[in-house]
Amino acid sequence: MAVLKMKFTQQRRVRLAQGLWLLSWLAVTCGAFIFSLGVYIKIELLRRDEVMENKEIHCVPNLLMMVGLASIGANWVASRVCQDSLDASRFPRWKVLLLLWFAVAALLCCLLLTVVILSYALQGRLEESLKVGLRNGIRFYKDTDVPGRCFQKETIDRLQMEFRCCGNNNFKDWFEVQWVSNRYLDFTSQEVKDRIRSNVDGRYLLDGVPFSCCNPASPRPCLQRHLTDSRAHYNYEYQSEELNLYSRGCRQALTDYYMSLMNSTGPGVLSVILIQISVLLSMRYLQTAVEGAMALESPEGESEGYILEKGVKETYADMKAKAVELLKFAQVDPASDGEGGEEGEKEADATEKAATPTPAS
Amino acid sequence: MVVMKMKFPFQKRVKLAQGLWLLSWCATVAGATTFSLGCLLKTELRRRSEVMDNSDIHIVPNTLMIVGLASLGINYFASKICQDALDAGRFPRWKNFLKPYFAVSCFFTVLMLLAVIMSYAMKGSLESSLKAGLRNGIRFYKDTDTPGRCFQKQNIDRLQMEFQCCGNNDFRDWFEVQWISNRYLDFSSKEVKDRIKSNVDGRYLVDGVPFSCCNPSSPRPCIQYHLTNNSAHYNYDYQTEELNIYLRGCREALVNYYMGLMNTIGVGVLSVFLLQGSVLVSLRFLQTSMEAVAGEENTEIETEGYLLEKGVKETIMEYLDPVLTFLLLKNQVEEGTTGETPATT
């Protein structure tokens, strides 16, 4: 009992071939779209490379680029097969390649689905990576004279201004590190000496933030120093002041940005999966219908197309038997002389069983 | 004396018509490009309209948009005409259409060139518009509680951060205005009272700048206040400090930005102008060479094509006469015209 059997007249076969040719070119453009999407996401991730600690999230765009290229190739092959399908002399040469093509196309659909799942699943890893990267960035903010770290200040400043965020979790992260370099501290001043003595590590800590945390939407000029001291500024209340600095943390801002980027690509990728599956199914129908027509006495007659010749369970059992037989062929060779007779019969049986499905698959 | 006479055998006419058809479709695409360039420029100018005092500069993108739309029409008709040109039965119906068509097309093509020239000529107007607009923006920076001016602070801050500039000419413009609102000044403090007494208008002036002037490339945390006082900050020299705040003025930054944009657009529009001109010249040659064929039995004879039948001056007078008589006719007394016409003819 074949799965999803359909009758195909010559007209219908021709229409199917033409429709599939168009569909496969559409799928080629979709593959190019997936590739460019992968390139775009990769570039966006590389731009903020300095505040990310590891590159695990890069597997999403890498996978998208690979799948895009592979699907361009596979769908181009599909269009060539369609062109040859109605020509009885040229179609048979695609026989073996089609098995491989079906496997590749199914693999591509699975990979695309994996990408969609990964883009949600890796959110936690991305947050971790950003947490560590930003913590380092804030710690090395003052080291503008240390080679390898001299750009951290500019990177963090531009990041906070562009994403409208301050600090790692919030602006209080700046209170816990010394972000003013010792080169610019007057160690003879009483204030500096007091602050340095007030903590164990001898760091110059203050309740202030860099200028890049300032919010332009605030109605008053930005207050950067003595933030926790309500008396240090006129008409200022630390607890209720909301607009003075950015209230969001940069980790939250960056995670939101990248998640929204990858979520917005979700519907596009899902529709590409649907297109690829429809190409796969149409190709299967075309293959079975054309092969059925070639086996008929009059090639222009009606033939049947199906997805699987037998039911799902039987096809699975057949494939298992074939795989086992291939393994046997690979293993048995040296010992085949002595037991050749018995084994030869068994092999003959196995090859007969294997031979019956082959004309259809 | 004919201008630029050329001989056109039949084959050459056919090639001219085919080439012109392709060229006119290229010119249609070019016209659409001109329109979109005009839209782009207009959008960019409107984004910064709050720091511009007048909208005089908008004439450049408006002209580009008009010319782009007109050239779509011109080239559409050009392609239609050259499709009919080789068919002796269908070409004559374009006869009366062609004279006004050429007049209108030349006008719009010249307008394209004018738009490019204007984009260079109006640099001074743009600068003075920006000067006045930025001066107002800096003056009203503190008025975040006044309706109509409450967004000036945000605009100026974002402008300075985006264009990496400070003040109108340079950062010293901030020393001359009070940019801190009275709502945030403690009038009981001695420092505030001293500063207010120190100038005639009773304004609170500081030698400091807003945070948006700070340069992220500076190796030290930004110094915003007491900029002219070397002893206020450790290891700081006002005269030699370069990276602390942006040294460029916003007027210069914006003028450079818009001039760069208009130069790039100008190059594109010039090439579209050349393309459009070549379409019109080829169409004129095709028209004159096909007109000589009309009425002949053998349509494959060699004919002559030219640009202008008479000289340049006479052709211009020929085109201007109907316009002038139309304008003068309104003022002329009717008896005078009836008396004069028998004498002139």
Side-chain angles (χ1 to χ4, degrees):
Chain A
M1 36 138 287
V3 177
L4 290 180
K5 206 158 50 172
M6 280 174 73
K7 290 209 179 297
F8 282 98
T9 58
Q10 174 70 356
Q11 259 300 75
R12 253 180 125 184
R13 281 199 296 273
V14 170
R15 287 248 174 81
L16 179 63
Q18 289 169 339
L20 182 57
W21 185 83
L22 275 175
L23 197 63
S24 61
W25 277 111
L26 177 66
V28 168
T29 21
C30 289
F33 165 71
I34 294 282
F35 177 73
S36 47
L37 200 64
V39 168
Y40 176 65
I41 292 180
K42 182 115 184 149
I43 290 178
E44 281 295 309
L45 285 170
L46 282 176
R47 273 176 71 187
R48 303 293 165 194
D49 203 30
E50 294 122 348
V51 293
M52 289 193 208
E53 192 234 341
N54 62 41
K55 297 203 174 202
E56 282 176 18
I57 191 73
H58 281 246
C59 71
V60 171
N62 290 345
L63 209 55
L64 277 176
M65 290 197 284
M66 259 175 19
V67 169
L69 285 177
S71 102
I72 287 175
N75 292 309
W76 180 79
V77 166
S79 75
R80 302 287 302 158
V81 172
C82 290
Q83 274 177 323
D84 285 349
S85 64
L86 297 170
D87 185 350
S89 56
R90 287 164 66 175
F91 188 66
R93 64 179 176 167
W94 292 108
K95 235 175 153 33
V96 178
L97 198 61
L98 269 179
L99 278 176
L100 189 62
W101 187 89
F102 283 122
V104 168
L107 182 68
L108 286 179
C109 292
C110 292
L111 280 178
L112 278 175
L113 206 58
T114 320
V115 164
V116 175
I117 294 170
L118 269 181
S119 69
Y120 287 100
L122 284 178
Q123 180 177 345
R125 303 292 301 153
L126 176 68
E127 265 200 71
E128 272 300 309
S129 166
L130 282 170
K131 184 173 177 177
V132 177
L134 282 168
R135 197 177 62 215
N136 285 342
I138 290 174
R139 261 199 304 176
F140 304 143
Y141 185 86
K142 65 180 180 1
D143 295 334
T144 46
D145 51 348
V146 176
R149 296 183 195 165
C150 48
F151 280 105
Q152 285 288 15
K153 178 183 181 294
E154 194 172 344
T155 308
I156 295 287
D157 277 336
R158 292 203 191 280
L159 183 80
Q160 292 190 146
M161 291 201 286
E162 189 179 326
F163 284 87
R164 305 194 186 178
C165 58
C166 187
N168 205 339
N169 302 307
N170 55 35
F171 63 90
K172 290 192 238 256
D173 298 317
W174 289 105
F175 298 174
E176 295 156 17
V177 296
Q178 178 181 350
W179 55 272
V180 182
S181 173
N182 284 340
R183 287 173 290 153
Y184 308 118
L185 291 174
D186 182 8
F187 284 95
T188 58
S189 133
Q190 187 61 35
E191 188 239 344
V192 174
K193 282 194 265 196
D194 282 344
R195 279 193 186 272
I196 286 182
R197 278 195 216 123
S198 74
N199 73 88
V200 183
D201 309 313
R203 290 179 295 165
Y204 181 77
L205 302 179
L206 30 95
D207 53 347
V209 293
F211 76 93
S212 42
C213 282
C214 287
N215 188 357
S218 164
R220 85 183 285 171
C222 187
L223 299 170
Q224 288 173 246
R225 304 273 187 274
H226 308 294
L227 286 169
T228 50
D229 186 2
S230 294
R231 292 166 308 153
H233 312 280
Y234 184 67
N235 199 5
Y236 170 67
E237 173 68 51
Y238 167 55
Q239 305 299 338
S240 58
E241 187 66 48
E242 280 176 347
L243 280 175
N244 185 40
L245 305 172
Y246 295 124
S247 47
R248 206 166 53 154
C250 286
R251 191 181 72 219
Q252 181 69 36
L254 280 168
T255 309
D256 286 347
Y257 172 69
Y258 283 120
M259 279 301 121
S260 71
L261 190 64
M262 290 200 264
N263 286 354
S264 61
T265 61
V269 173
L270 282 174
S271 40
V272 170
I273 292 176
L274 286 174
I275 290 176
Q276 189 70 58
I277 288 177
S278 53
V279 167
L280 189 87
L281 290 176
S282 313
M283 180 61 91
R284 177 64 176 164
Y285 272 123
L286 185 68
Q287 177 205 23
T288 47
V290 169
E291 281 180 346
M294 286 197 313
L296 289 176
E297 284 159 12
S298 67
E300 311 239 334
E302 201 176 272
S303 65
E304 274 182 3
Y306 46 79
I307 295 195
L308 293 172
E309 199 193 2
K310 306 179 186 153
V312 182
K313 271 194 188 170
E314 290 151 346
T315 321
Y316 179 61
D318 276 344
M319 296 200 113
K320 247 174 88 175
K322 257 208 245 173
V324 165
E325 179 218 324
L326 277 172
L327 284 175
K328 260 170 123 181
F329 267 126
Q331 280 173 0
V332 150
D333 275 341
S336 59
D337 297 305
E339 302 164 6
E342 246 192 297
E343 299 241 351
E345 266 185 48
K346 280 194 199 162
E347 277 170 25
D349 280 341
T351 42
E352 261 183 53
K353 275 195 204 156
T356 37
T358 37
S361 64
Chain B
M1 39 138 279
V2 184
V3 176
M4 280 193 70
K5 207 160 45 173
M6 278 175 72
K7 290 203 179 299
F8 281 99
F10 178 67
Q11 269 302 84
K12 213 172 168 188
R13 281 203 298 276
V14 171
K15 287 238 174 74
L16 179 65
Q18 289 169 341
L20 180 58
W21 187 82
L22 272 176
L23 204 63
S24 65
W25 279 111
C26 290
T28 311
V29 170
T33 313
T34 310
F35 177 74
S36 48
L37 283 176
C39 287
L40 177 77
L41 189 59
K42 182 123 185 139
T43 311
E44 280 296 310
L45 284 170
R46 281 179 72 95
R47 274 177 70 189
R48 303 291 165 195
S49 60
E50 293 120 352
V51 292
M52 291 193 205
D53 189 46
N54 60 42
S55 316
D56 286 347
I57 191 69
H58 281 249
I59 194 171
V60 174
N62 290 346
T63 312
L64 281 178
M65 290 199 287
I66 290 172
V67 165
L69 285 177
S71 90
L72 285 176
I74 291 171
N75 293 310
Y76 170 73
F77 279 116
S79 74
K80 276 257 174 286
I81 290 170
C82 66
Q83 264 181 329
D84 286 349
L86 296 169
D87 185 349
R90 287 163 63 177
F91 190 62
R93 66 179 177 168
W94 291 106
K95 236 175 152 34
N96 292 330
F97 177 74
L98 276 169
K99 197 168 174 191
Y101 171 80
F102 273 117
V104 167
S105 317
C106 288
F107 170 68
F108 279 111
T109 312
V110 167
L111 201 61
M112 210 187 276
L113 192 65
L114 276 181
V116 177
I117 294 173
M118 263 197 297
S119 72
Y120 289 101
M122 295 198 75
K123 180 179 175 182
S125 161
L126 177 68
E127 254 199 85
S128 54
S129 166
L130 282 170
K131 185 172 177 176
L134 282 169
R135 198 177 60 217
N136 285 343
I138 290 173
R139 256 195 309 171
F140 304 144
Y141 185 85
K142 63 178 182 358
D143 296 333
T144 46
D145 53 348
T146 309
R149 296 182 194 166
C150 47
F151 280 104
Q152 286 287 16
K153 177 183 182 295
Q154 198 174 158
N155 288 338
I156 295 289
D157 277 336
R158 292 203 194 282
L159 183 80
Q160 293 191 147
M161 292 202 288
E162 190 179 323
F163 284 86
Q164 301 185 354
C165 59
C166 188
N168 204 337
N169 302 307
D170 59 17
F171 62 90
R172 279 174 271 259
D173 298 317
W174 289 106
F175 297 175
E176 294 157 18
V177 297
Q178 177 181 349
W179 54 273
I180 300 177
S181 173
N182 284 340
R183 288 173 289 154
Y184 309 116
L185 291 175
D186 182 8
F187 284 96
S188 55
S189 132
K190 188 160 191 329
E191 188 239 343
V192 175
K193 280 195 269 199
D194 281 344
R195 280 193 186 272
I196 286 182
K197 277 188 211 136
S198 74
N199 73 87
V200 182
D201 310 312
R203 292 179 296 166
Y204 181 77
L205 302 179
V206 286
D207 54 346
V209 292
F211 77 94
S212 43
C213 282
C214 286
N215 188 354
S217 314
S218 166
R220 85 183 286 171
C222 186
I223 296 171
Q224 283 175 250
Y225 296 101
H226 307 295
L227 283 169
T228 49
N229 185 0
N230 284 346
S231 50
H233 313 279
Y234 184 68
N235 198 6
Y236 172 69
D237 186 1
Y238 166 56
Q239 307 297 337
T240 55
E241 188 64 51
E242 279 178 349
L243 281 175
N244 185 41
I245 49 177
Y246 296 125
L247 295 173
R248 198 167 59 153
C250 286
R251 190 181 72 221
E252 186 193 335
L254 280 168
V255 165
N256 285 349
Y257 172 70
Y258 282 120
M259 280 298 123
L261 193 62
M262 286 200 272
N263 285 353
T264 320
I265 289 179
V267 168
V269 173
L270 269 179
S271 34
V272 173
F273 165 74
L274 288 174
L275 187 64
Q276 186 73 61
S278 57
V279 166
L280 288 178
V281 162
S282 315
L283 190 64
R284 177 66 177 166
F285 273 125
L286 188 66
Q287 176 208 11
T288 46
S289 57
M290 286 312 294
E291 273 175 354
V293 171
E296 301 276 341
E297 278 166 17
N298 179 17
T299 51
E300 305 203 358
I301 53 167
E302 187 179 288
T303 52
E304 272 182 1
Y306 49 80
L307 271 183
L308 296 171
E309 202 181 356
K310 308 172 190 160
V312 182
K313 265 197 191 171
E314 291 150 342
T315 321
I316 294 180
M317 288 316 296
E318 199 183 310
Y319 273 93
L320 283 182
D321 267 344
V323 180
L324 286 174
T325 45
F326 178 72
L327 289 173
L328 290 172
L329 203 60
K330 287 190 166 178
N331 299 334
Q332 262 181 357
V333 181
E334 282 197 352
E335 292 147 77
T337 46
T338 44
E340 271 185 55
T341 36
T344 46
T345 46

